[in-house]
Every structure is written in structure tokens, then in C-alpha cells.
Amino acid sequence: NAGVTQTPKFQVLKTGQSMTLQCAQDMNHEYMSWYRQDPGMGLRLIHYSVGAGITDQGEVPNGYNVSRSTTEDFPLRLLSAAPSQTSVYFCASSYSTGSRGYGYTFGSGTRLTVV
Amino acid sequence: AQSVSQHNHHVILSEAASLELGCNYSYGGTVNLFWYVQYPGQHLQLLLKYFSGDPLVKGIKGFEAEFIKSKFSFNLRKPSVQWSDTAEYFCAVIPRAGGGNKLTFGTGTQLKVEL
């Protein structure tokens, strides 16, 4: 099925550990992005990419790294996990056209707990 | 930068009641506007979006939203809610030009529909 695939679905980390959240899309979308969702704060943009090899920071980038070596993949790396990074993480793939504007597809999320 | 305000954080309705959720955005230019729904434990699903043209947009599951440019608003409505509409609702905005793939969300509205 076409869409955005995120792995893992659940993860528990100890403070200071590092890990990579995987995101892959098979729709050949140009744009990809990572959001974190926290109660009462909606979804906040962490990092985004407008194409392979091009990434930029969003609203809350500290403590996270990204790279985009292919159109399909956009992994999110936690360098040294902290309890403040306990959250639900969503990856999104999107396109933009002159006739339809923007369209977004979201992954099913990764629930991360840092203890 | 753009921002989104959702004034109702928690709404409780009885089945068959009418629903209106407020959404205001701040941005000086032309925008794409979205409403997403998140059912408990699930990822975001698109309810409807506005790109251009008719400011009254109809979406899935009987939802509609009206774009009022002069008020910078994009309120979500449903004439008669069902218990299955219990979910969290997010309004989001991205500039039509130069959006840079930076979709900005409001903080969300938790809707509970009681039988």
C-alpha cells in the first residue's frame, strides 16, 4: 500500500542513549518532515526536507538530526535522549502543485518514552 | 511566520448536537488551510482542505469548513455529531507561496460526544 511507513511503533530509551526513527515513503513526494506531538501543544515541526540532500530546521530542532540521501527515506536521529523528548513522533510526506496546493500524508507514529 | 489558534481546547456535546470549532490563523499572504482528525491511538487523517475557489469546503464524514479571509478564520462545522466523532481535531496552515513545506498546526481541540 502506498503511504508513509514509520518504524518502530514504540520505543523506550534510557537517558543518554541514541537512536534513529525510520521513515520511508513510496509516493515519490518531494517534501518530507518530522513532527512531535505533545498534549496541549499540537504538532510541532522538528525538521523538514524539500528534496534529497536538502534539509532545514523547524520549530523545535534541538537534540535531533536528519539527513535525506534518497527521495524515499528521511530518518530522524536522537543524539542523546532526554526525558523531554518523550513524545509521539510523526513523519509526513507531501507534495505541492499549482492546481491542488499542498497535500500531506502522515505516518502512523512512533511513541517514544525516555526514562 | 504563520501561526494558528484554536480557541476551544475541550468540547463536550451530546449526540445530534451541532458542532463548530474555531480556527484563526495569522499570515499576511495567501494560504492553504487544513482540518485533520485524530481518533484515539491513531494517526492524523485529513478531513478537508482549502486551496482556492469556493470558501465553503465540504469534507469527509459530513464535515465542512468556511474560509473567511477578512477574519483569517477557517471554522469547522458539522450539523449533527455522532459518538464516533469523538477525537482530537487540528487546524493547520501553510503559505501558498514560499511555504517551504512548513505546515503549522494549532494546539488541537478534544471533542467528546456523549450518548
Side-chain angles (χ1 to χ4, degrees), chain A residues 18-86:
Chain A
S18 63
M19 79 159 294
T20 300
L21 278 63
Q22 301 291 344
C23 176
Q25 55 102 356
D26 58 3
M27 296 170 285
N28 201 33
H29 284 171
E30 194 174 359
Y31 305 132
M32 296 186 77
S33 46
W34 276 102
Y35 291 84
R36 60 176 289 173
Q37 182 181 19
D38 302 290
M41 304 188 77
L43 282 82
R44 293 179 292 168
L45 182 64
I46 304 172
H47 285 286
Y48 65 99
S49 169
V50 297
I54 307 170
T55 64
D56 206 345
Q57 296 181 351
E59 182 184 355
V60 287
N62 292 341
Y64 307 95
N65 272 358
V66 292
S67 60
R68 183 116 179 256
S69 56
T70 66
T71 300
E72 295 77 20
D73 300 299
F74 191 45
L76 178 72
R77 297 181 187 84
L78 278 69
L79 309 172
S80 176
S84 60
Q85 294 179 303
T86 293

